Amino acid sequence: MNKLKIAIQKSGRLSDDSVKLFKECGIKFEVGKSKLKSTSRNFPADFLFLRDDDIPGYVEDGVADLGIVGKNVLVEYGNDVESIKELGFSKCRLSLAVPREVEYPGVEYFQGKSIATSYPNLLGQYLKGKGVDAHVHQISGSVEIAPGIGLAEGVCDIVSTGGTLLSNGLKEVETIFKSEAVLIANNKLSDEKKELLEKLLFRINAVQTAQNHKYVLLNAPNDKLQQIIELMPGMRSPTITPLAQEGWSSIHSVIKESDFWENIETLRKWGAEGILVIPIEKMIS
């Protein structure tokens, strides 16, 4: 039987988020610090636990059929793979940073200076677009130490919260690239594996759509039902149930979480009360 070989990062936040996604898709497999491969018990897939930087190459070569990587890695290495879907998690940014005591005038500060980075291609493209001629000093890992030891006047590195920069006496001054997790695929998947990929995407879409929506229940006076229904249209239409108290009804609907918070004050003004907001595990249109 055909199986998908899916490469994910073996440790770190991207690994945790990727495993969480597959678990929420109902795919069961074992995860452990020393594991390099795991077979799903209920979905035709093998999971390979690899270094993030290696995943695009393994997918390009067909060692893995699919992979989850940071978009920054995918663009930096430029492997010939198909980008299937941006996944919306493990968001971060690639930023320029300088010592905190530096008075930073703008990107022209880096003209003629040295910048330490693990992302020379992305940085080079950015500097070229800005017309800045700087020396890009490529190093792997712990680039934050470079200014402190006199290796470079600035760094270009991945930033999530900025805590690592601060702890090393640096400040973020320019964002050059925004990244998130991306599902990639080999360009030559068989028809059978393409079919399995579609089944996997169906599950992923159901999980992610549910994460952005909430099931809302509330009680409302009947004379405001139409206005409230227009704010809470639901997947097809809301469920309206009369309450024992005359002149009142219960409204059940599914709406985007962002829409709920935008409209909550209006709902309350129209007399809505007893409002319950319930997470949705899966949502299939």
Side-chain angles (χ1 to χ4, degrees):
M1 183 178 70
N2 268 302
K3 286 185 178 182
L4 287 174
K5 293 174 290 184
I6 305 173
I8 59 178
Q9 192 177 39
K10 63 181 178 181
S11 62
R13 187 165 66 98
L14 180 57
S15 173
D16 294 340
D17 289 341
S18 300
V19 169
K20 181 174 180 284
L21 173 64
F22 289 119
K23 298 285 189 182
E24 289 175 340
C25 288
I27 299 173
K28 298 179 180 179
F29 60 101
E30 299 298 325
V31 179
K33 288 185 178 180
S34 60
K35 271 189 173 292
L36 297 178
K37 181 180 177 182
S38 181
T39 298
S40 171
R41 301 191 299 273
N42 63 346
F43 189 85
D46 288 330
F47 291 87
L48 312 177
F49 302 98
L50 307 170
R51 287 181 66 252
D52 188 34
D53 294 355
D54 293 335
I55 291 175
Y58 277 107
V59 173
E60 181 179 22
D61 294 341
V63 175
D65 302 307
L66 308 177
I68 293 181
V69 294
K71 189 175 181 181
N72 56 298
V73 172
L74 180 62
V75 176
E76 173 67 25
Y77 290 95
N79 295 86
D80 185 19
V81 297
E82 185 178 358
S83 180
I84 300 295
K85 182 178 178 62
E86 293 183 351
L87 297 172
F89 57 76
S90 295
K91 291 186 177 183
C92 58
R93 56 196 181 274
L94 184 62
S95 294
L96 285 163
V98 298
R100 278 204 298 265
E101 65 273 12
V102 168
E103 290 187 14
Y104 181 74
V107 71
E108 63 271 15
Y109 166 81
F110 293 103
Q111 180 68 33
K113 292 183 170 66
S114 181
I115 307 171
T117 187
S118 300
Y119 299 92
N121 292 327
L122 282 168
L123 176 57
Q125 291 169 21
Y126 175 82
L127 293 174
K128 183 177 180 181
K130 295 292 184 179
V132 173
D133 184 14
H135 174 66
V136 177
H137 193 101
Q138 183 178 357
I139 59 177
S140 58
S142 302
V143 298
E144 297 88 357
I145 199 174
I149 61 175
L151 183 64
E153 285 87 359
V155 304
C156 179
D157 201 16
I158 290 296
V159 179
S160 294
T161 64
T164 302
L165 292 178
L166 288 173
S167 65
N168 284 279
L170 303 174
K171 62 182 179 182
E172 186 178 1
V173 292
E174 302 281 350
T175 296
I176 74 168
F177 188 83
K178 292 184 178 179
S179 181
E180 63 181 276
V182 180
L183 178 67
I184 60 174
N186 179 270
N187 286 323
K188 298 178 181 178
L189 290 182
S190 66
D191 290 341
E192 292 83 0
K193 290 189 174 182
K194 286 179 181 178
E195 187 176 340
L196 289 175
L197 172 58
E198 288 303 314
K199 290 180 179 180
L200 177 61
L201 286 172
F202 178 82
R203 295 192 186 200
I204 291 174
N205 290 333
V207 168
Q208 294 194 324
T209 302
Q211 290 171 344
N212 296 325
H213 289 73
K214 292 290 183 280
Y215 188 75
V216 179
L217 301 85
L218 57 81
N219 299 327
N222 288 343
D223 61 353
K224 297 296 184 182
L225 285 182
Q226 191 55 46
Q227 293 100 309
I228 292 175
I229 288 171
E230 290 175 2
L231 286 183
M232 300 172 53
M235 295 178 69
R236 184 176 294 274
S237 67
T239 299
I240 311 296
T241 305
L243 296 181
Q245 182 178 345
E246 188 175 347
W248 282 76
S249 295
S250 174
I251 302 176
H252 299 209
S253 189
V254 173
I255 63 174
K256 288 184 178 179
E257 186 172 20
S258 58
D259 291 344
F260 172 78
W261 289 115
E262 287 177 8
N263 295 317
I264 181 61
E265 294 305 324
T266 301
L267 292 170
R268 293 177 64 195
K269 183 178 70 176
W270 287 342
E273 58 182 45
I275 302 172
L276 300 179
V277 182
I278 302 172
I280 302 171
E281 185 174 323
K282 308 288 188 297
M283 184 170 167
I284 301 169
S285 300

